[in-house]
């Protein structure tokens, strides 16, 4: 979290920085700031969003060909003007922007204070900045060495950019644990936390590795590893276009991304699920397939929506491949001394590929000798680079903080994996395998039909926009969908919502049921259909309100529920993909009607790069 941008070249830096910050605002939006270098370093920063910063800076010309900018998600110190980045060292020599956490900041701060260094903010970042400034002032070293020496004393994570007033021809960037990408132009360089601010200028990028320090001049980039060796930068080409990170005529990124799902699901299985030969190929797993087939256990790790996708994965792998699965929150996994055997397979799921808890869990699983696979969306991000093998979702850039298309693409990948392993293991007959492939191909068109129900769902949303609580129920494969539906509602509309296995309702949540709280039931036709019909009756018997997601033509539930949303018929494996879409739309419309900022909900960030 926190977005970082930097520029060095012949252009005016400010428009590049402001544009870039707007693209990165999904990473945090508590405060924003920029620093511009021309003879001196000018810093402008304030609490609020990038638009607040623009207002704060006004129309006066702000010139400089070197600069950096930051949009913050607060960790240390409340969001206010003083705690906003960039931070300037006490002696005015250095300016820094930082993403991550300096864990030993309190001790470093005390030591610097004892030596007479003054602090203005409550941030860990200012501590690092002052440490660099102090080392520079008290040793015979240049700016690069001052940065290196300071970083050697730091415990924690950082992606950072530094400018030094005495060396006005360069930016110094360093990475450990928090992502940084450098865009390579013609005698100009761009820097950012991810590639979205860069793609409109250049498609050639360099992803920094942990421990790397880059010294960037207009005409030259020097990359040094943690061992201080000069490394040849590996230039990669971006595979997405600027059009993919615009709203494309939709009111919000979230709505655009919900509507992109037919395409993104198809993009994710294109070339992998082959209708012509009725075969399934996953190139990224080719070498590890024998281990997957022999796996005694799969452990899936992730956070937030990715964890929910992992729960769907549990049903898929156990049902289709008969492999026992455990699904763990990445944060919990790390801290409870997990038992991992060498023949366990660990699958890490992450849209961003940068979630700190997931990355740390991967490192632990690798230390314990497990084969670790990744399911990620952002190409070149940290998780694909840390894992032994993996499969990319091809959802395209997801900007809305509430994850939508990433979830359905993650489930698409998990379904492909489970079907493939099931077939290779001999659990699935050829006939069943072919049927599953034929049904797979139909998912995008079915998703499209659900999107056509948007107006109907909007009407339902208008009736419940003012509720304070909601309950989401599902069974089996559809239980994780209920969890995801509840998460979507609470994160963007701030309505308290809980997801529950429908049968568990009677062990607690049933006490909440009244004529005000909507109960959203995911009740498509599957093996436990009769049971969930009974659960709906239990809600109705207590004057509850039922909004049911059902299979087209279901007259039984239509007669019982207050509202039904009919989705195309699909077996369990694919019903998860379809049934989540109306829940995404329901949350979206309720949040918009409540006046919430759906793309940037309060207190959240898209990419959580702190533990
Ligand atoms: C944040 C986001 C969620 C996301 C979670 C995991 O909390 O707001 O939408 O599901 O992080 O992110 P990842 O990038 O690892 O999937």
């Amino acid at each position: 979290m926190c977005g970082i941008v930097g520029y060095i070249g012949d252009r005016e830096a400010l428009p590049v920085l402001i544009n870039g910050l707007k693209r990165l605002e999904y990473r945090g939006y508590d405060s924003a700031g920029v620093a511009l270098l021309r003879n001196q370093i000018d810093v402008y920063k304030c609490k609020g969003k990038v638009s607040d910063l623009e207002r704060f800076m006004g129309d006066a010309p702000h010139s400089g060909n070197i600069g950096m900018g930051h949009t913050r998600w607060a960790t240390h110190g409340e969001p206010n003007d003083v705690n906003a980045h960039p931070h300037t060292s006490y002696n005015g020599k250095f300016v820094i922007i930082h993403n991550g956490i300096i864990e030993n900041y309190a001790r470093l701060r005390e030591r610097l204070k004892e030596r007479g260094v003054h602090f203005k903010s409550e941030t860990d970042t200012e501590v690092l900045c002052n440490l660099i400034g102090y080392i520079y002032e008290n040793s015979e070293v240049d700016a690069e060495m001052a940065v290196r020496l300071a970083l050697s004393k730091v415990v924690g994570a950082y992606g950072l950019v530094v400018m030094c007033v005495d060396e006005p021809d360069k930016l110094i960037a360093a990475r450990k644990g928090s992502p940084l990408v450098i865009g390579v132009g013609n005698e100009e360089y761009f820097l950012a936390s991810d590639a979205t601010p860069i793609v409109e200028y250049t498609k050639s990028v360099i992803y920094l590795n942990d421990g790397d320090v880059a010294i960037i001049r207009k005409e030259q980039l020097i990359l040094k590893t943690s061992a201080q060796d000069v490394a040849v930068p590996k230039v990669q080409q971006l595979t997405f276009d600027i059009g993919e990170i615009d709203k494309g005529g939709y009111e919000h990124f979230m709505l655009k991304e919900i509507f992109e799902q037919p395409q993104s699901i198809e993009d994710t299985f294109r070339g992998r699920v082959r209708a012509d030969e009725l075969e399934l190929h996953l190139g990224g797993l080719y070498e590890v397939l024998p281990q997957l087939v022999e796996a005694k256990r799969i452990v899936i790790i992730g956070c937030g929506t990715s964890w929910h996708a992992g729960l769907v994965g549990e049903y898929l792998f156990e049902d289709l491949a008969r492999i026992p699965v455990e699904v763990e929150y990445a944060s919990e996994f790390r801290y409870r001394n997990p038992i991992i055997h060498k023949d366990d397979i660990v699958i890490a799921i992450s849209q961003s590929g940068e979630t700190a808890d997931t990355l740390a869990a991967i490192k632990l699983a690798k230390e314990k000798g497990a084969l670790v696979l990744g399911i990620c969306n952002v190409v070149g991000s940290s998780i694909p680079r840390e894992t032994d093998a993996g499969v990319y979702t091809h959802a395209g850039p997801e900007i809305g903080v509430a994850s939508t298309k990433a979830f359905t693409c993650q489930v698409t990948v998990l379904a492909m994996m489970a079907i493939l392993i099931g077939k290779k293991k001999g659990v699935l007959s050829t006939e069943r395998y072919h049927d599953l492939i034929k049904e797979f191909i139909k998912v995008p068109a079915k998703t499209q039909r659900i999107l056509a129900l948007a107006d109907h769902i909007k009407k339902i949303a208008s009736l419940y926009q003012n509720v304070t609580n909601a309950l989401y129920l599902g069974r089996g494969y559809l239980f994780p969908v209920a969890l995801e539906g509840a998460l979507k509602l609470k994160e963007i509309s701030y309505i308290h919502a809980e997801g529950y296995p429908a049968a568990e309702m009677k062990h607690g949540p049933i006490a909440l049921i009244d004529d005000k709280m909507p109960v959203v039931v995911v009740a498509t036709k599957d093996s436990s259909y009769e049971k969930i019909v009974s659960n709906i009756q239990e809600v109705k018997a207590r004057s509850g309100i039922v909004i049911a997601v059902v299979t087209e033509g279901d007259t039984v539930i239509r007669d019982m529920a207050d509202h039904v949303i009919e989705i195309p018929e699909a077996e369990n494996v694919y019903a998860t993909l379809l049934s989540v879409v109306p829940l995404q739309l329901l949350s979206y419309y309720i949040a918009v009607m409540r006046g919430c900022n759906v793309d940037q909900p309060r207190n959240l960030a898209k990419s959580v790069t702190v533990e």
Side-chain angles (χ1 to χ4, degrees):
M1 42 226 330
C2 297
I4 285 182
V5 286
Y7 176 75
I8 186 164
D10 287 330
R11 298 174 202 244
E12 277 299 337
L14 187 62
V16 178
L17 301 178
I18 294 289
N19 259 344
L21 288 181
K22 286 184 177 163
R23 299 221 184 277
L24 290 180
E25 238 180 347
Y26 71 87
R27 300 177 70 90
Y29 29 83
D30 292 335
S31 63
V34 292
L36 295 168
L37 198 161
R38 170 163 288 172
N39 307 321
Q40 59 178 44
I41 300 178
D42 294 317
V43 173
Y44 307 89
K45 57 182 187 172
C46 65
K47 180 182 171 181
K49 304 199 172 193
V50 181
S51 53
D52 296 307
L53 175 69
E54 283 183 292
R55 266 192 295 280
F56 172 72
M57 293 183 75
D59 294 332
H62 300 285
S63 178
N65 305 115
I66 306 179
M68 57 194 194
H70 188 270
T71 176
R72 178 169 186 243
W73 185 86
T75 57
H76 294 62
E78 64 169 289
N80 61 25
D81 295 352
V82 179
N83 289 333
H85 298 215
H87 288 280
T88 307
S89 64
Y90 66 96
N91 50 14
K93 293 289 181 191
F94 288 87
V95 175
I96 189 171
I97 51 174
H98 165 227
N99 169 24
I101 289 184
I102 308 300
E103 289 171 12
N104 58 339
Y105 82 104
R107 199 153 45 87
L108 293 171
R109 187 179 163 116
E110 279 320 301
R111 291 211 182 136
L112 286 166
K113 273 183 160 176
E114 282 160 21
R115 290 167 171 78
V117 172
H118 295 292
F119 287 83
K120 294 191 279 279
S121 79
E122 303 152 88
T123 64
D124 52 339
T125 304
E126 190 191 13
V127 175
L128 175 57
C129 191
N130 279 343
L131 180 62
I132 297 170
Y134 185 83
I135 293 171
Y136 183 76
E137 192 173 299
N138 292 283
S139 334
E140 299 276 302
V141 292
D142 63 5
E144 179 198 335
M145 190 47 78
V147 171
R148 275 190 180 285
L149 290 172
L151 291 180
S152 71
K153 300 192 184 317
V154 152
V155 178
Y158 51 79
L160 57 86
V161 187
V162 172
M163 297 195 297
C164 175
V165 75
D166 294 338
E167 299 180 26
D169 63 334
K170 64 172 79 86
L171 294 171
I172 300 172
R175 172 202 160 129
K176 187 180 162 210
S178 298
L180 265 186
V181 190
I182 298 175
V184 184
N186 187 12
E187 296 227 327
E188 60 179 351
Y189 290 94
F190 305 83
L191 259 164
S193 305
D194 71 36
T196 50
I198 295 176
V199 67
E200 62 193 280
Y201 306 105
T202 175
K203 291 207 160 182
S204 303
V205 293
I206 297 159
Y207 294 95
L208 293 196
N209 289 314
D210 271 353
D212 282 355
V213 174
I215 300 96
I216 311 164
R217 292 186 183 79
K218 191 179 106 172
E219 62 290 337
Q220 186 195 31
L221 164 76
I222 298 173
L223 190 64
K224 293 187 185 169
T225 63
S226 50
Q228 298 211 31
D229 298 326
V230 175
V232 180
K234 189 175 161 214
V235 181
Q236 303 184 34
Q237 295 302 310
L238 295 174
T239 51
F240 65 95
D241 289 310
I242 184 72
E244 290 178 60
I245 46 176
D246 285 336
K247 283 192 202 147
Y250 288 89
E251 201 182 336
H252 296 100
F253 279 112
M254 182 180 177
L255 189 62
K256 177 189 173 221
E257 287 156 6
I258 292 172
F259 272 79
E260 278 174 347
Q261 288 177 111
Q263 188 62 51
S264 56
I265 293 170
E266 190 163 349
D267 288 347
T268 299
F269 71 60
R270 178 175 301 117
R272 294 164 167 172
V273 178
R274 299 197 187 152
D276 46 351
E277 25 174 298
L278 287 179
E279 282 296 346
L280 216 159
H281 302 268
L282 286 171
L285 298 182
Y286 184 73
E287 285 182 8
V288 297
L289 206 48
Q291 278 160 278
L292 276 164
V293 168
E294 293 300 318
K296 298 277 174 296
R297 186 175 72 135
I298 292 176
V299 179
I300 301 180
I301 50 177
C303 302
T305 290
S306 296
W307 182 77
H308 290 159
L311 290 178
V312 179
E314 178 177 11
Y315 287 89
L316 287 163
F317 285 119
E318 295 196 343
D319 184 15
L320 302 177
R322 306 302 296 148
I323 302 174
V325 177
E326 279 170 42
V327 188
E328 301 263 9
Y329 285 113
S331 53
E332 289 298 313
F333 176 81
R334 303 176 52 195
Y335 291 111
R336 59 171 194 77
N337 195 11
I339 299 166
I340 295 288
H341 301 292
K342 290 206 171 18
D343 51 4
D344 284 339
I345 309 276
V346 173
I347 303 176
I349 306 179
S350 173
Q351 186 285 129
S352 63
E354 300 292 352
T355 301
D357 282 322
T358 311
L359 266 167
I362 289 170
K363 283 184 186 142
L364 180 65
K366 279 170 85 175
E367 274 163 32
K368 290 183 178 281
L371 176 76
V372 184
L373 310 179
I375 298 177
C376 282
N377 192 40
V378 178
V379 176
S381 56
S382 300
I383 290 176
R385 289 187 288 145
E386 288 288 332
T387 42
D388 298 303
V391 183
Y392 278 117
T393 51
H394 293 306
E398 190 181 65
I399 310 292
V401 166
S403 189
T404 51
K405 62 176 180 172
F407 174 81
T408 44
C409 291
Q410 288 164 346
V411 172
T412 299
V413 168
L414 289 161
M416 287 190 289
M417 287 175 71
I419 294 169
L420 184 65
I421 298 166
K423 176 65 173 57
K424 297 279 177 212
K425 267 185 83 168
V427 175
L428 295 179
S429 67
T430 303
E431 193 189 353
R432 174 93 173 110
Y433 176 65
H434 287 167
D435 284 348
L436 282 166
I437 289 176
K438 286 183 209 156
E439 287 304 308
F440 221 135
I441 310 291
K442 295 180 191 163
V443 171
K446 289 183 179 179
T447 312
Q448 197 69 55
R449 279 167 52 200
I450 298 168
L451 295 172
L453 302 175
D455 283 343
H456 170 58
I457 296 169
K458 196 173 181 178
K459 278 192 200 115
I460 299 174
S462 69
L463 301 174
Y464 300 102
Q465 56 177 299
N466 294 320
V467 301
T468 46
N469 290 295
L471 185 62
Y472 285 68
L473 302 176
R475 294 183 82 115
Y477 268 96
L478 302 176
F479 161 52
V481 174
L483 289 177
E484 176 59 10
L487 177 63
K488 286 288 89 72
L489 187 69
K490 68 186 139 194
E491 65 185 339
I492 60 170
S493 72
Y494 320 138
I495 293 171
H496 172 250
E498 274 194 73
Y500 245 80
E504 273 293 303
M505 176 184 65
K506 53 187 170 295
H507 298 292
I510 201 164
L512 297 170
I513 286 170
D514 59 15
D515 58 1
K516 293 182 189 61
M517 179 183 73
V519 181
V520 181
V521 190
V522 192
T524 58
K525 286 206 169 130
D526 69 1
S527 51
S528 47
Y529 175 76
E530 304 297 336
K531 302 273 178 205
I532 206 152
V533 169
S534 306
N535 298 136
I536 291 174
Q537 270 162 345
E538 286 157 14
V539 176
K540 288 312 298 174
R542 286 157 183 86
S543 307
I545 304 162
V546 171
I547 303 170
V549 176
V550 300
T551 305
E552 274 170 358
D554 183 334
T555 51
V556 175
I557 297 183
R558 194 191 299 156
D559 290 344
M560 292 160 53
D562 296 81
H563 311 277
V564 290
I565 303 167
E566 296 188 34
I567 65 169
E569 191 271 325
E571 67 166 285
N572 271 335
V573 175
Y574 306 115
T576 49
L577 288 167
L578 302 179
S579 57
V580 76
V581 177
L583 306 189
Q584 296 166 343
L585 284 168
L586 187 66
S587 305
Y588 171 78
Y589 288 121
I590 288 179
V592 171
M593 287 168 194
R594 288 166 72 91
C596 301
N597 183 343
V598 292
D599 280 339
Q600 295 176 346
R602 69 183 179 209
N603 303 338
L604 293 176
K606 182 132 195 88
S607 179
V608 182
T609 54
V610 295
E611 292 172 22

